[in-house]
């Protein structure tokens, strides 16, 4: 429960607080004694009346006594409801002020009425009232729906104003599970769902969905609107809790956590529970893709939406408005009314129609989030199969221009983590969640071709035929009855809006991630050419070189996308050279790469790998031509430039700071050394690292750091088939060669010219770790949000060593 305020609290009587000390002490003693809701009723009414005005309790303790007395077992609850309404009016204004005030201001405010209500046992009393049917077998009158709704609403208002109330309710598993049983009542569903969502948000241990009595029957009883609301609750139960500490995001910490937790997490168990509910995924797909009736004349809808959003941040307020809109619609006949007439109706009369749009957008966000989490879980293949079968992607394609990207929306917001509170508008949140879903759907999965229509699939086949290369097996196996309809597929539509975004729009980050996921995995020449023909490479280069974009998040996503688009593709390097046609442009491009190697190292890896492959194909005239003409390949062909990248890649990371986002720097440095080893140049590179150490007056630091990193690499990758497969496919280098090269580098024979130990002088062996955290340059530690690994080395498909 809430902590008692100090003597200076204005509603406790200020400096006269001591006069009320006896009352507060008796309440606290009753609280400790476990009397619960009755603790306020033990005080004499005369005493309460005497102290009420001085303490500014606004009659709440006396009302609670009356509420208690009028709600005994033989009561018909008529007087109980009247008293509760009076109490509710005292509390609702505080709850509304919390919703409408600026967040910072609201958090710093005090809510004296809510505090008093809780202090004198109001919260406990309402919990007992709601749960009374489960606590006694005695004959009792049934609580009507309106009284139940008001009880739930008052509890919710107390929760949003007093965090201690929420935590107290969350600690009661019996009450939490009981609330789920109330969701069977349609009239109290919204209030119950909102209260459950608030409670689960602070609950220390995640609830197990399988504990809910008859969960499958409960979910199947929901109509589509109720199911959309229920997704808000599900989002809390299927997401891994955010550790909230950057140190815990390191690979060291994650590996240690995985050792401790060998069994599936509660979130993973809950995901399986949901997938076992018949028809659940199919209904979510229908929710995600259903159309929204909208007034054709509301041209300023998005601006109108933004104006109303601050007030509508509270779900109960929004749903109350929706109930009004629904009642209005039922009263005025059906939804088949002529929508063109709505355009002539004044804005104040069209608000319910706009509220329907807001409502649909907000709940589509929740539905897409649940689908996205399931797509990233252990049951990914099962989820993929169902999403394809229920035509999620074609449905979203049909909504793209009518709802998802119907109009340009400014997005000067900060990119949020998966579990962070987001102050984005519904329109922005909807677009971001849509893009995250596309990224999860396409990433390393053969179903990615469902993002195209039949004509575009034929185009891919034609590209392969013209290049005299076999079609990708996944393309051949694509069920064409499940692909997108219409003139454009979803991927093509995404490319179109991507080019229209302002340079620093954060949508560019998510858009680039979604498109990159289509390319990730085994490199497909046809996929690359499909995107190159649509001007994607020129658009990326414009953003990096000419647009003045300063956002590191956006630039990082574009570097990664550019790397996937250009890898091993001579046509892409030719197009690059055609766009970067001056020394000035090329220097701007290099400056962007060098400004943050953590952000650009995947592109560096692509260039190094492509150069190595092209140099082994000099019998091909086209390859020879691009090698001789492309400024980027010529730059990377100079050994001093490759060494420069190697020095910095090894230097900006250490074992203690490795994360899923920057571990790619270690793998890129390994790629450079593997290619050197294959050409017999590994001793030359290791000696260069040694000379660099001495030149910078840090002998042993660079090589000891690299030695430690490689030991960690062995521990991290040799036990993870998923991650090792990705390394293999992203580089086209067999993982056996990765392992062998690391073993050679870590060899203990000081006479070996390929062992790191041979290049570290005896006095500098095994330097203290603290001395290894040094920098020859300013390290770039700014990474993309935790929820979205930019350089995550995750699973791919098989590819062979060229």
């Amino acid at each position: 429960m809430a902590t008692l305020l100090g003597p200076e609290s204005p509603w406790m009587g200020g400096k006269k607080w001591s006069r009320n000390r006896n009352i507060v002490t008796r309440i606290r003693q009753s609280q400790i004694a476990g009397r619960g809701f009755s603790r306020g009723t033990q005080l004499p009414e005369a005493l309460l009346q005497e102290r009420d005005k001085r303490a500014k309790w606004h009659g709440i303790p006396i009302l609670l006594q009356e509420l208690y007395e009028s709600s005994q077992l033989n009561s018909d609850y008529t007087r109980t409801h009247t008293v509760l309404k009076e109490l509710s009016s005292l509390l609702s204004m505080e709850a509304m002020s919390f919703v409408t005030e600026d967040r910072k201001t609201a958090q710093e405010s005090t809510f004296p009425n809510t505090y008093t209500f809780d202090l004198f046992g109001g919260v406990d009393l309402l919990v007992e009232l709601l749960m009374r049917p489960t606590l006694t077998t005695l004959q009792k009158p049934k609580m009507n729906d309106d009284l139940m709704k008001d009880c739930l609403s008052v509890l919710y208002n107390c929760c949003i104003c007093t965090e201690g109330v929420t935590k107290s309710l969350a600690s009661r598993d019996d009450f939490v599970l009981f609330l789920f049983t109330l969701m069977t009542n349609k009239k109290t569903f919204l209030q119950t769902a909102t209260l459950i969502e608030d409670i689960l948000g602070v609950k220390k241990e995640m609830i197990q969905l399988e504990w809910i009595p008859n969960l499958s029957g409960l979910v199947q009883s929901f109509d589509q609107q109720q199911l959309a609301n229920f997704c808000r609750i599900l989002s809390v139960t299927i997401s891994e809790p955010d550790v909230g500490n950057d140190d815990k995001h390191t690979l060291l910490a994650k590996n240690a956590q995985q050792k401790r937790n060998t069994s599936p997490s509660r979130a993973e168990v809950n995901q399986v529970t949901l997938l076992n509910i018949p028809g659940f995924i199919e209904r979510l797909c229908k929710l995600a893709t259903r159309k929204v009736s909208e007034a054709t004349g509301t041209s300023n809808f998005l601006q109108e939406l933004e104006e109303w959003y601050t007030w509508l941040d509270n779900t109960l307020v929004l749903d109350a408005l929706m109930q009004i809109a629904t009642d209005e619609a039922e009263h005025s006949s059906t939804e088949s009314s002529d929508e063109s007439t709505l355009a002539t109706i004044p804005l104040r009369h069209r608000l319910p129609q706009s509220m329907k749009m807001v409502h649909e957008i907000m709940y589509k966000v929740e539905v897409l989030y649940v689908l996205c989490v399931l797509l990233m879980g252990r049951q990914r293949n099962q989820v993929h199969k169902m999403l394809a079968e229920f035509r999620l992607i074609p449905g979203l394609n049909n909504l793209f221009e009518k709802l998802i990207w119907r109009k340009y929306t400014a997005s000067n917001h900060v990119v949020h983590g998966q579990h962070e509170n987001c102050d984005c508008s519904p329109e922005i949140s909807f677009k971001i969640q849509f893009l995250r879903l596309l990224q999860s759907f396409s990433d390393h999965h053969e179903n990615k071709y469902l993002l195209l229509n039949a004509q575009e699939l034929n185009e891919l086949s034609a590209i392969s035929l013209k290049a005299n290369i076999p079609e990708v097996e996944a393309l051949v196996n694509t069920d064409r009855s499940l692909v997108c309809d219409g003139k454009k597929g979803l991927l093509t539509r995404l490319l179109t809006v991507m080019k229209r975004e302002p340079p620093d729009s954060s949508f560019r980050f998510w858009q680039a991630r979604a498109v990159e996921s289509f390319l990730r995995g085994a490199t497909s020449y046809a996929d690359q050419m499909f995107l190159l023909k649509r001007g994607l490479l020129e658009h990326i280069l414009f953003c990096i070189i000419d647009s003045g974009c300063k956002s590191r998040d956006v630039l990082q996503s574009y570097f990664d996308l550019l790397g996937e688009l250009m890898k091993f593709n001579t046509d892409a390097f030719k197009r690059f050279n055609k766009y970067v046609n001056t020394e000035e442009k090329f220097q701007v491009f290099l400056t962007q790469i060098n400004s943050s190697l953590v952000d650009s190292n995947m592109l560096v890896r692509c260039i190094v790998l492509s150069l190595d492959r092209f140099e082994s194909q000099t019998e091909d005239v086209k390859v020879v031509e691009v090698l001789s003409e492309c400024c980027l390949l010529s730059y990377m062909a100079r050994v001093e430039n490759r060494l420069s990248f190697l020095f910095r890649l090894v230097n900006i990371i250490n074992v203690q700071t490795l994360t899923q986002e920057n571990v790619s720097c270690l793998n890129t440095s390994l790629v450079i050394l593997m290619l050197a080893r294959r050409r017999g140049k590994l001793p030359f590179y290791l000696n260069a690292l040694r000379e660099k150490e001495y030149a910078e007056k840090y002998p042993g630091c660079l090589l000891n750091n690299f030695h430690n990193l490689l030991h960690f690499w062995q521990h991290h990758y040799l036990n993870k088939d998923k991650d090792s497969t990705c390394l293999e496919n992203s580089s086209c280098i067999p993982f056996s060669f990765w392992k062998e090269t690391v073993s050679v580098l870590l060899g203990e024979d000081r006479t070996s010219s390929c062992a790191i130990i041979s290049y570290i002088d005896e006095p500098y062996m095994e330097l203290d770790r603290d001395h290894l955290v040094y920098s020859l340059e300013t390290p770039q530690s700014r990474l993309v949000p935790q929820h979205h690994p930019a350089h995550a080395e995750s699973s791919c498909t098989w590819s062979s060593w060229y």
Side-chain angles (χ1 to χ4, degrees):
M1 292 299 167
T3 304
L4 295 177
L5 298 185
E8 296 305 317
S9 298
W11 61 277
M12 290 298 292
K15 294 181 179 178
K16 298 180 181 179
W17 173 80
S18 58
R19 301 178 184 178
N20 303 307
R21 183 179 301 168
N22 290 336
I23 296 178
V24 173
T25 301
R26 290 176 65 179
I27 295 173
R28 177 178 287 175
Q29 289 171 344
S30 176
Q31 189 173 0
I32 295 172
R35 297 179 186 175
F37 66 87
S38 64
R39 62 181 182 266
T41 67
Q42 306 302 310
L43 300 171
E45 182 175 342
L47 178 63
L48 291 176
Q49 289 178 337
E50 178 188 346
R51 301 298 187 206
D52 186 87
K53 186 175 182 180
R54 187 179 302 151
K56 298 182 180 179
W57 287 334
H58 303 289
I60 291 174
I62 297 173
L63 287 170
L64 282 174
Q65 278 192 336
E66 190 172 353
L67 185 69
Y68 171 71
E69 292 167 359
S70 66
S71 62
Q72 295 307 299
L73 288 177
N74 296 324
S75 167
D76 65 357
Y77 294 128
T78 302
R79 179 57 183 164
T80 303
H81 200 180
T82 301
V83 175
L84 183 62
K85 284 183 176 180
E86 190 172 348
L87 282 166
S88 178
S89 65
L90 292 170
L91 305 178
S92 60
M93 291 307 296
E94 289 185 349
M96 184 58 70
S97 70
F98 180 87
V99 172
T100 56
E101 284 180 24
D102 177 77
R103 285 296 183 193
K104 183 177 179 182
T105 305
Q107 290 172 355
E108 292 172 354
S109 300
T110 57
F111 301 98
N113 290 348
T114 304
Y115 179 87
T116 306
F117 180 83
D118 178 36
L119 177 67
F120 283 88
V123 170
D124 290 332
L125 176 54
L126 294 188
V127 169
E128 191 274 340
L129 274 175
L130 288 169
M131 293 188 69
R132 185 172 289 172
T134 68
L135 300 176
T136 179
T137 57
L138 297 177
Q139 187 70 26
K140 66 274 182 186
K142 182 180 179 182
M143 185 184 297
N144 65 53
D145 293 337
D146 289 336
L147 175 57
M148 193 177 297
K149 284 171 64 175
D150 286 342
C151 285
L152 292 166
S153 295
V154 170
L155 285 177
Y156 177 73
N157 288 341
C158 290
C159 284
I160 63 176
C161 292
T162 310
E163 186 179 8
V165 172
T166 318
K167 290 181 177 179
S168 176
L169 295 178
S171 67
R172 294 190 56 174
D173 287 339
D174 59 337
F175 180 64
V176 175
L177 293 176
F178 167 76
L179 285 176
F180 281 96
T181 67
L182 298 184
M183 299 182 82
T184 57
N185 186 338
K186 190 171 183 177
K187 291 186 178 180
T188 61
F189 176 89
L190 290 174
Q191 287 77 10
T192 307
T194 310
L195 181 58
I196 292 174
E197 179 191 356
D198 206 59
I199 290 173
L200 294 185
V202 301
K203 192 169 176 61
K204 289 184 177 180
E205 289 190 356
M206 185 178 293
I207 190 174
Q208 290 289 86
L209 291 178
E210 58 189 15
W211 295 345
I212 300 173
N214 191 24
L215 174 65
S216 179
L218 178 67
V219 173
Q220 289 176 321
S221 72
F222 293 156
D223 59 29
Q224 288 294 78
Q225 195 63 33
Q226 288 175 315
L227 184 59
N229 277 277
F230 192 57
C231 283
R232 297 175 65 90
I233 295 172
L234 294 181
S235 64
V236 181
T237 66
I238 63 176
S239 304
E240 296 293 350
D242 187 11
V243 292
N245 187 332
D246 289 340
D247 292 340
K248 295 181 182 179
H249 289 300
T250 65
L251 293 184
L252 272 178
K254 287 185 176 182
N255 288 349
Q257 184 70 21
Q258 288 171 0
K259 276 187 176 181
R260 291 192 294 269
N261 301 332
T262 55
S263 58
S265 67
R266 285 194 171 185
E268 291 170 334
V269 172
N270 285 341
Q271 291 174 24
V272 174
T273 301
L274 288 179
L275 293 175
N276 288 334
I277 298 177
F280 176 71
I281 295 297
E282 181 178 10
R283 294 186 66 191
L284 288 193
C285 288
K286 288 180 179 179
L287 271 171
T289 58
R290 71 178 180 184
K291 297 180 180 179
V292 185
S293 59
E294 51 189 273
T296 55
T298 314
S299 59
N300 64 334
F301 165 72
L302 293 181
Q303 182 180 359
E304 172 190 311
L305 184 152
E306 297 287 346
E307 293 171 354
W308 280 87
Y309 174 64
T310 301
W311 184 53
L312 296 175
D313 195 29
N314 180 288
T315 305
L316 283 177
V317 176
L318 177 58
D319 283 310
L321 280 174
M322 276 305 302
Q323 188 61 49
I324 294 172
T326 302
D327 294 343
E328 179 184 293
E330 291 174 353
H331 184 266
S332 62
S333 72
T334 67
E335 291 190 10
S336 60
S337 60
D338 183 8
E339 289 189 347
S340 63
T341 62
L342 292 172
T344 62
I345 301 175
L347 176 62
R348 63 181 180 277
H349 295 148
R350 286 190 283 111
L351 279 177
Q353 185 69 19
S354 296
M355 291 308 101
K356 287 184 179 181
M357 179 75 83
V358 180
H359 199 254
E360 188 70 15
I361 286 175
M362 290 182 73
Y363 287 122
K364 269 181 164 53
V365 170
E366 303 300 333
V367 172
L368 292 182
Y369 177 80
V370 169
L371 291 175
C372 189
V373 172
L374 293 174
L375 266 176
M376 295 187 293
R378 292 191 180 188
Q379 314 302 317
R380 186 186 188 209
N381 289 333
Q382 178 187 354
V383 177
H384 245 295
K385 183 178 179 181
M386 290 191 282
L387 296 187
E389 178 185 349
F390 301 133
R391 294 179 57 81
L392 173 68
I393 297 303
L396 292 175
N397 188 47
N398 293 334
L399 282 181
F400 189 84
E401 292 179 348
K402 295 178 181 178
L403 180 66
I404 300 173
W405 232 279
R406 51 178 281 152
K407 187 177 180 181
Y408 164 71
T409 307
S411 62
N412 297 321
H413 66 286
V414 177
V415 179
H416 294 282
Q418 180 167 322
H419 305 288
E420 292 180 58
N421 292 325
C422 177
D423 57 359
C424 306
S425 72
E427 182 80 5
I428 290 175
S429 298
F430 185 36
K431 289 181 177 180
I432 290 175
Q433 198 57 58
F434 164 75
L435 293 171
R436 289 186 60 205
L437 179 73
L438 288 193
Q439 188 273 336
S440 301
F441 187 86
S442 302
D443 198 22
H444 299 104
H445 203 281
E446 59 186 16
N447 276 351
K448 69 180 184 178
Y449 291 110
L450 298 182
L451 270 65
L452 309 180
N453 63 18
Q455 183 179 352
E456 291 164 345
L457 292 178
N458 292 336
E459 182 181 344
L460 284 179
S461 300
I463 292 172
S464 298
L465 180 63
K466 183 178 179 180
N468 196 28
I469 57 176
E471 288 186 71
V472 176
E473 185 178 355
L475 175 61
V476 176
N477 295 335
T478 298
D479 184 345
R480 299 203 170 207
S481 68
L482 302 177
V483 301
C484 291
D485 309 312
K487 296 181 180 179
K488 294 180 180 180
L490 198 49
L491 180 63
T492 302
R493 294 185 191 276
L494 177 58
L495 290 174
T496 301
V497 298
M498 183 177 178
K499 294 177 182 178
R500 297 174 183 169
E501 289 296 322
D504 285 307
S505 166
S506 62
F507 285 141
R508 283 186 178 272
F509 170 84
W510 300 104
Q511 290 164 342
R513 288 281 171 248
V515 176
E516 182 205 350
S517 69
F518 181 81
L519 292 172
R520 291 185 71 185
T523 303
S524 168
Y525 173 80
D527 293 354
Q528 290 174 324
M529 293 306 300
F530 179 85
L531 297 174
L532 286 170
K533 286 183 176 182
R534 284 157 176 77
L536 180 59
L537 183 138
E538 289 78 9
H539 165 71
I540 296 172
L541 291 176
F542 171 80
C543 181
I544 295 174
I545 298 173
D546 298 318
S547 70
C549 177
K550 303 297 183 184
S551 168
R552 295 313 313 177
D553 292 326
V554 173
L555 288 172
Q556 183 190 64
S557 65
Y558 271 55
F559 283 134
D560 291 349
L561 176 55
L562 187 61
E564 292 293 337
L565 188 62
M566 294 180 67
K567 192 189 300 177
F568 308 134
N569 193 308
T570 54
D571 296 277
F573 279 92
K574 283 183 178 180
R575 284 174 176 260
F576 176 93
N577 215 48
K578 184 176 180 180
Y579 187 92
V580 187
N581 53 9
T582 66
E583 180 63 21
E584 181 182 2
K585 279 189 173 183
F586 186 58
Q587 289 304 319
V588 172
F589 183 75
L590 290 180
T591 299
Q592 292 281 44
I593 288 179
N594 288 315
S595 64
S596 177
L597 208 50
V598 168
D599 296 334
S600 63
N601 84 89
M602 295 294 281
L603 175 60
V604 172
R605 190 191 306 185
C606 149
I607 302 167
V608 171
L609 285 166
S610 299
L611 175 65
D612 186 78
R613 173 176 285 196
F614 295 158
E615 288 179 341
S616 68
Q617 298 175 337
T618 52
E619 70 283 354
D620 188 324
V621 176
K622 287 179 62 178
V623 172
V624 173
E625 181 183 346
V626 77
L627 278 173
S628 61
E629 295 180 357
C630 181
C631 57
L632 188 58
L633 291 172
S634 298
Y635 178 84
M636 196 60 74
R638 293 195 285 273
V639 67
E640 63 271 20
N641 292 329
R642 292 200 298 278
L643 283 171
S644 175
F645 282 122
L646 178 62
F647 297 151
R648 295 161 59 207
L649 286 167
V650 174
N651 186 57
I652 60 179
I653 51 176
N654 59 67
V655 173
Q656 286 72 39
T657 60
L658 274 183
T659 66
Q660 191 66 31
E661 286 72 41
N662 64 16
V663 70
S664 56
C665 293
L666 174 58
N667 290 322
T668 298
S669 65
L670 263 176
V671 165
I672 295 174
L673 292 178
M674 281 191 293
L675 298 180
R677 178 179 173 233
R678 195 165 70 87
R679 293 172 179 267
K681 296 291 183 70
L682 185 54
F684 171 79
Y685 279 75
L686 294 177
N687 189 60
L689 288 174
R690 182 180 185 275
E691 291 180 354
K692 181 70 172 177
E693 287 181 333
Y694 275 88
E696 298 292 338
K697 302 187 186 322
Y698 288 108
C701 287
L702 200 64
L703 289 172
N704 269 298
N705 184 47
F706 192 43
H707 197 270
N708 290 336
L709 286 166
L710 293 181
H711 271 299
F712 176 84
W713 188 96
Q714 283 186 324
H715 176 76
H716 181 73
Y717 282 102
L718 297 189
N719 300 315
K720 294 189 177 181
D721 293 338
K722 183 179 178 181
D723 288 355
S724 61
T725 304
C726 177
L727 291 182
E728 185 167 64
N729 288 295
S730 67
S731 63
C732 288
I733 299 175
F735 190 64
S736 58
F737 195 76
W738 286 78
K739 291 192 296 183
E740 186 181 317
T741 301
V742 172
S743 295
V744 168
L745 288 166
L746 292 177
E748 297 180 358
D749 184 1
R750 292 185 64 84
T751 64
S752 171
S753 62
C754 293
I756 293 176
I757 196 173
S758 302
Y759 298 87
I760 305 176
D761 293 337
E762 286 283 355
Y764 307 113
M765 289 293 297
E766 300 181 359
L767 287 178
D768 185 271
R769 285 183 178 179
D770 292 339
H771 294 125
L772 297 181
V773 188
Y774 73 105
S775 182
L776 306 182
E777 62 173 343
T778 302
Q780 300 292 333
S781 59
R782 185 172 180 273
L783 306 176
V784 298
Q786 294 292 343
H787 69 277
H788 201 94
H791 302 140
E793 312 279 9
S794 55
S795 65
C796 303
T797 55
W798 175 262
S799 179
S800 61
W801 177 239
Y802 55 89

